[in-house]
């Protein structure tokens, strides 16, 4: 999960990798997922977690989706599927990632329908 300092350094990192990152005005100061999750009370929802990241081994690039899922579970959410990472360069998904994300979303929807049908009425 990116910290405020990580988010503020993102444009420099992207520039060094010959990429382009468009940031909304004030985005550096905005609360991120880490901060939002810390404000939550007990959740009674089903949830899924994903992130976007640059390519490379997770131990080098990080994988926020795992931390997001863990924190959601700590707040009581039931995870519908495994956390996923989708690859980007700058703020653009790499070729094939949109299709992979769509398939993941379809699997999540199917799981929700299946689990809802199996739930006591």
């Amino acid at each position: 999960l990116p910290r405020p300092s990580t988010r503020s350094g993102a444009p420099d990192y992207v520039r060094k990798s010959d990429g382009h990152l468009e940031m909304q005005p004030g985005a550096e100061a905005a609360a991120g997922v880490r901060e939002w999750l810390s404000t939550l009370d007990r959740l009674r929802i089903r949830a899924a977690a994903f992130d976007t990241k640059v390519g490379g081994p997770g131990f080098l690039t990080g994988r926020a989706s795992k931390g997001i899922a863990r924190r959601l579970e700590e707040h009581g959410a039931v995870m519908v599927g495994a956390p996923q990472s989708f690859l980007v360069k700058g703020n653009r998904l790499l070729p094939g990632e949109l299709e992979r994300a769509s398939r993941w979303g379809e699997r999540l929807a199917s799981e929700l329908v299946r689990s809802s049908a199996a739930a006591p009425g």
Side-chain angles (χ1 to χ4, degrees), residues 48 80-84 86 99-115:
V80 178
Q84 291 293 309
F86 300 101
E99 294 78 10
R100 195 166 69 80
S102 293
R103 289 190 305 273
W104 181 65
E106 289 169 1
R107 286 192 304 273
L108 293 174
S110 294
E111 176 59 26
L112 284 170
V113 169
R114 186 191 65 73
S115 63

mmCIF file of all heavy atoms in Angstrom, residues 48 80-84 86 99-115:
data_model
loop_
_atom_site.group_PDB
_atom_site.id
_atom_site.type_symbol
_atom_site.label_atom_id
_atom_site.label_comp_id
_atom_site.label_asym_id
_atom_site.label_seq_id
_atom_site.Cartn_x
_atom_site.Cartn_y
_atom_site.Cartn_z
ATOM 1 N N ALA A 48 -13.326 -7.445 -2.994
ATOM 2 C CA ALA A 48 -12.206 -7.907 -3.807
ATOM 3 C C ALA A 48 -11.166 -6.795 -3.810
ATOM 4 O O ALA A 48 -11.512 -5.621 -3.674
ATOM 5 C CB ALA A 48 -12.656 -8.223 -5.228
ATOM 6 N N VAL A 80 -13.968 -12.209 -1.946
ATOM 7 C CA VAL A 80 -14.630 -13.017 -2.964
ATOM 8 C C VAL A 80 -13.619 -13.772 -3.817
ATOM 9 O O VAL A 80 -13.879 -14.872 -4.273
ATOM 10 C CB VAL A 80 -15.516 -12.126 -3.869
ATOM 11 C CG1 VAL A 80 -16.166 -12.936 -4.966
ATOM 12 C CG2 VAL A 80 -16.557 -11.414 -3.032
ATOM 13 N N GLY A 81 -12.468 -13.196 -4.032
ATOM 14 C CA GLY A 81 -11.446 -13.822 -4.859
ATOM 15 C C GLY A 81 -10.069 -13.413 -4.378
ATOM 16 O O GLY A 81 -9.924 -12.585 -3.483
ATOM 17 N N ALA A 82 -9.075 -14.016 -4.987
ATOM 18 C CA ALA A 82 -7.690 -13.701 -4.635
ATOM 19 C C ALA A 82 -7.336 -12.291 -5.111
ATOM 20 O O ALA A 82 -7.806 -11.856 -6.166
ATOM 21 C CB ALA A 82 -6.749 -14.716 -5.267
ATOM 22 N N PRO A 83 -6.501 -11.582 -4.359
ATOM 23 C CA PRO A 83 -6.059 -10.257 -4.796
ATOM 24 C C PRO A 83 -5.328 -10.351 -6.140
ATOM 25 O O PRO A 83 -4.651 -11.341 -6.407
ATOM 26 C CB PRO A 83 -5.086 -9.822 -3.696
ATOM 27 C CG PRO A 83 -5.338 -10.717 -2.548
ATOM 28 C CD PRO A 83 -5.900 -11.983 -3.095
ATOM 29 N N GLN A 84 -5.481 -9.321 -6.946
ATOM 30 C CA GLN A 84 -4.870 -9.313 -8.271
ATOM 31 C C GLN A 84 -4.077 -8.039 -8.495
ATOM 32 O O GLN A 84 -4.410 -6.983 -7.961
ATOM 33 C CB GLN A 84 -5.945 -9.400 -9.359
ATOM 34 C CG GLN A 84 -6.655 -10.716 -9.417
ATOM 35 C CD GLN A 84 -5.734 -11.837 -9.849
ATOM 36 O OE1 GLN A 84 -5.053 -11.737 -10.859
ATOM 37 N NE2 GLN A 84 -5.702 -12.917 -9.079
ATOM 38 N N PHE A 86 -2.561 -5.681 -11.750
ATOM 39 C CA PHE A 86 -2.622 -5.431 -13.173
ATOM 40 C C PHE A 86 -1.463 -4.501 -13.534
ATOM 41 O O PHE A 86 -1.185 -3.535 -12.825
ATOM 42 C CB PHE A 86 -3.979 -4.849 -13.566
ATOM 43 C CG PHE A 86 -5.097 -5.783 -13.215
ATOM 44 C CD1 PHE A 86 -5.868 -5.579 -12.084
ATOM 45 C CD2 PHE A 86 -5.340 -6.909 -13.989
ATOM 46 C CE1 PHE A 86 -6.873 -6.460 -11.738
ATOM 47 C CE2 PHE A 86 -6.351 -7.805 -13.647
ATOM 48 C CZ PHE A 86 -7.117 -7.576 -12.522
ATOM 49 N N GLU A 99 -8.201 -6.831 -20.710
ATOM 50 C CA GLU A 99 -8.929 -8.086 -20.936
ATOM 51 C C GLU A 99 -8.784 -9.009 -19.722
ATOM 52 O O GLU A 99 -9.740 -9.658 -19.299
ATOM 53 C CB GLU A 99 -8.424 -8.778 -22.202
ATOM 54 C CG GLU A 99 -8.716 -8.015 -23.480
ATOM 55 C CD GLU A 99 -7.774 -6.845 -23.746
ATOM 56 O OE1 GLU A 99 -6.733 -6.701 -23.048
ATOM 57 O OE2 GLU A 99 -8.093 -6.038 -24.651
ATOM 58 N N ARG A 100 -7.579 -9.068 -19.150
ATOM 59 C CA ARG A 100 -7.360 -9.907 -17.968
ATOM 60 C C ARG A 100 -8.185 -9.391 -16.792
ATOM 61 O O ARG A 100 -8.796 -10.167 -16.055
ATOM 62 C CB ARG A 100 -5.868 -9.925 -17.616
ATOM 63 C CG ARG A 100 -5.490 -11.024 -16.652
ATOM 64 C CD ARG A 100 -3.987 -11.219 -16.591
ATOM 65 N NE ARG A 100 -3.285 -10.122 -15.959
ATOM 66 C CZ ARG A 100 -3.192 -9.958 -14.624
ATOM 67 N NH1 ARG A 100 -3.743 -10.828 -13.810
ATOM 68 N NH2 ARG A 100 -2.527 -8.943 -14.132
ATOM 69 N N ALA A 101 -8.259 -8.071 -16.634
ATOM 70 C CA ALA A 101 -9.072 -7.481 -15.568
ATOM 71 C C ALA A 101 -10.551 -7.785 -15.790
ATOM 72 O O ALA A 101 -11.279 -8.075 -14.837
ATOM 73 C CB ALA A 101 -8.833 -5.973 -15.496
ATOM 74 N N SER A 102 -10.995 -7.737 -17.032
ATOM 75 C CA SER A 102 -12.395 -8.054 -17.339
ATOM 76 C C SER A 102 -12.725 -9.502 -16.987
ATOM 77 O O SER A 102 -13.779 -9.782 -16.406
ATOM 78 C CB SER A 102 -12.696 -7.804 -18.815
ATOM 79 O OG SER A 102 -12.618 -6.431 -19.107
ATOM 80 N N ARG A 103 -11.814 -10.421 -17.326
ATOM 81 C CA ARG A 103 -12.040 -11.833 -16.982
ATOM 82 C C ARG A 103 -12.071 -12.022 -15.463
ATOM 83 O O ARG A 103 -12.895 -12.779 -14.948
ATOM 84 C CB ARG A 103 -10.972 -12.722 -17.616
ATOM 85 C CG ARG A 103 -11.109 -12.859 -19.127
ATOM 86 C CD ARG A 103 -10.192 -13.928 -19.707
ATOM 87 N NE ARG A 103 -8.795 -13.735 -19.379
ATOM 88 C CZ ARG A 103 -7.932 -12.986 -20.091
ATOM 89 N NH1 ARG A 103 -8.348 -12.350 -21.180
ATOM 90 N NH2 ARG A 103 -6.670 -12.877 -19.725
ATOM 91 N N TRP A 104 -11.202 -11.331 -14.746
ATOM 92 C CA TRP A 104 -11.189 -11.402 -13.284
ATOM 93 C C TRP A 104 -12.527 -10.909 -12.736
ATOM 94 O O TRP A 104 -13.126 -11.540 -11.869
ATOM 95 C CB TRP A 104 -10.021 -10.587 -12.734
ATOM 96 C CG TRP A 104 -9.885 -10.602 -11.248
ATOM 97 C CD1 TRP A 104 -9.593 -11.674 -10.454
ATOM 98 C CD2 TRP A 104 -10.011 -9.487 -10.362
ATOM 99 N NE1 TRP A 104 -9.522 -11.287 -9.135
ATOM 100 C CE2 TRP A 104 -9.773 -9.950 -9.051
ATOM 101 C CE3 TRP A 104 -10.290 -8.137 -10.557
ATOM 102 C CZ2 TRP A 104 -9.815 -9.112 -7.938
ATOM 103 C CZ3 TRP A 104 -10.321 -7.300 -9.445
ATOM 104 C CH2 TRP A 104 -10.088 -7.795 -8.165
ATOM 105 N N GLY A 105 -13.001 -9.778 -13.244
ATOM 106 C CA GLY A 105 -14.293 -9.241 -12.818
ATOM 107 C C GLY A 105 -15.438 -10.200 -13.093
ATOM 108 O O GLY A 105 -16.344 -10.355 -12.268
ATOM 109 N N GLU A 106 -15.399 -10.869 -14.245
ATOM 110 C CA GLU A 106 -16.438 -11.855 -14.567
ATOM 111 C C GLU A 106 -16.404 -13.022 -13.581
ATOM 112 O O GLU A 106 -17.451 -13.511 -13.148
ATOM 113 C CB GLU A 106 -16.270 -12.356 -15.995
ATOM 114 C CG GLU A 106 -16.618 -11.307 -17.035
ATOM 115 C CD GLU A 106 -16.201 -11.684 -18.445
ATOM 116 O OE1 GLU A 106 -15.644 -12.786 -18.652
ATOM 117 O OE2 GLU A 106 -16.414 -10.849 -19.347
ATOM 118 N N ARG A 107 -15.189 -13.488 -13.222
ATOM 119 C CA ARG A 107 -15.073 -14.577 -12.236
ATOM 120 C C ARG A 107 -15.611 -14.133 -10.871
ATOM 121 O O ARG A 107 -16.293 -14.887 -10.185
ATOM 122 C CB ARG A 107 -13.628 -15.050 -12.113
ATOM 123 C CG ARG A 107 -13.157 -15.882 -13.290
ATOM 124 C CD ARG A 107 -11.831 -16.580 -13.028
ATOM 125 N NE ARG A 107 -10.752 -15.687 -12.644
ATOM 126 C CZ ARG A 107 -9.938 -15.040 -13.485
ATOM 127 N NH1 ARG A 107 -10.075 -15.188 -14.794
ATOM 128 N NH2 ARG A 107 -8.984 -14.257 -13.030
ATOM 129 N N LEU A 108 -15.317 -12.891 -10.485
ATOM 130 C CA LEU A 108 -15.830 -12.377 -9.216
ATOM 131 C C LEU A 108 -17.356 -12.329 -9.231
ATOM 132 O O LEU A 108 -18.008 -12.740 -8.261
ATOM 133 C CB LEU A 108 -15.282 -10.973 -8.936
ATOM 134 C CG LEU A 108 -13.794 -10.854 -8.673
ATOM 135 C CD1 LEU A 108 -13.400 -9.390 -8.564
ATOM 136 C CD2 LEU A 108 -13.371 -11.621 -7.442
ATOM 137 N N ALA A 109 -17.920 -11.846 -10.319
ATOM 138 C CA ALA A 109 -19.383 -11.770 -10.428
ATOM 139 C C ALA A 109 -19.998 -13.161 -10.361
ATOM 140 O O ALA A 109 -21.004 -13.375 -9.671
ATOM 141 C CB ALA A 109 -19.779 -11.063 -11.722
ATOM 142 N N SER A 110 -19.389 -14.129 -11.034
ATOM 143 C CA SER A 110 -19.898 -15.504 -10.997
ATOM 144 C C SER A 110 -19.845 -16.060 -9.586
ATOM 145 O O SER A 110 -20.774 -16.737 -9.135
ATOM 146 C CB SER A 110 -19.084 -16.408 -11.931
ATOM 147 O OG SER A 110 -19.282 -16.032 -13.253
ATOM 148 N N GLU A 111 -18.764 -15.782 -8.876
ATOM 149 C CA GLU A 111 -18.630 -16.246 -7.497
ATOM 150 C C GLU A 111 -19.682 -15.610 -6.596
ATOM 151 O O GLU A 111 -20.271 -16.276 -5.747
ATOM 152 C CB GLU A 111 -17.222 -15.958 -6.955
ATOM 153 C CG GLU A 111 -17.018 -16.315 -5.515
ATOM 154 C CD GLU A 111 -17.261 -17.779 -5.180
ATOM 155 O OE1 GLU A 111 -17.118 -18.642 -6.069
ATOM 156 O OE2 GLU A 111 -17.626 -18.070 -4.023
ATOM 157 N N LEU A 112 -19.956 -14.341 -6.799
ATOM 158 C CA LEU A 112 -20.996 -13.680 -6.016
ATOM 159 C C LEU A 112 -22.366 -14.296 -6.274
ATOM 160 O O LEU A 112 -23.143 -14.527 -5.345
ATOM 161 C CB LEU A 112 -21.027 -12.182 -6.314
ATOM 162 C CG LEU A 112 -19.936 -11.358 -5.677
ATOM 163 C CD1 LEU A 112 -19.935 -9.943 -6.236
ATOM 164 C CD2 LEU A 112 -20.079 -11.339 -4.169
ATOM 165 N N VAL A 113 -22.669 -14.564 -7.534
ATOM 166 C CA VAL A 113 -23.948 -15.179 -7.869
ATOM 167 C C VAL A 113 -24.035 -16.567 -7.260
ATOM 168 O O VAL A 113 -25.039 -16.941 -6.640
ATOM 169 C CB VAL A 113 -24.133 -15.250 -9.410
ATOM 170 C CG1 VAL A 113 -25.312 -16.125 -9.789
ATOM 171 C CG2 VAL A 113 -24.298 -13.846 -9.972
ATOM 172 N N ARG A 114 -22.958 -17.354 -7.382
ATOM 173 C CA ARG A 114 -22.943 -18.705 -6.844
ATOM 174 C C ARG A 114 -23.110 -18.694 -5.326
ATOM 175 O O ARG A 114 -23.935 -19.414 -4.777
ATOM 176 C CB ARG A 114 -21.640 -19.410 -7.210
ATOM 177 C CG ARG A 114 -21.595 -20.894 -6.809
ATOM 178 C CD ARG A 114 -20.206 -21.490 -6.933
ATOM 179 N NE ARG A 114 -19.246 -20.900 -6.019
ATOM 180 C CZ ARG A 114 -19.199 -21.102 -4.704
ATOM 181 N NH1 ARG A 114 -20.093 -21.857 -4.129
ATOM 182 N NH2 ARG A 114 -18.273 -20.536 -3.954
ATOM 183 N N SER A 115 -22.371 -17.823 -4.635
ATOM 184 C CA SER A 115 -22.452 -17.792 -3.181
ATOM 185 C C SER A 115 -23.780 -17.235 -2.694
ATOM 186 O O SER A 115 -24.288 -17.651 -1.665
ATOM 187 C CB SER A 115 -21.271 -17.010 -2.583
ATOM 188 O OG SER A 115 -21.304 -15.669 -2.983
#
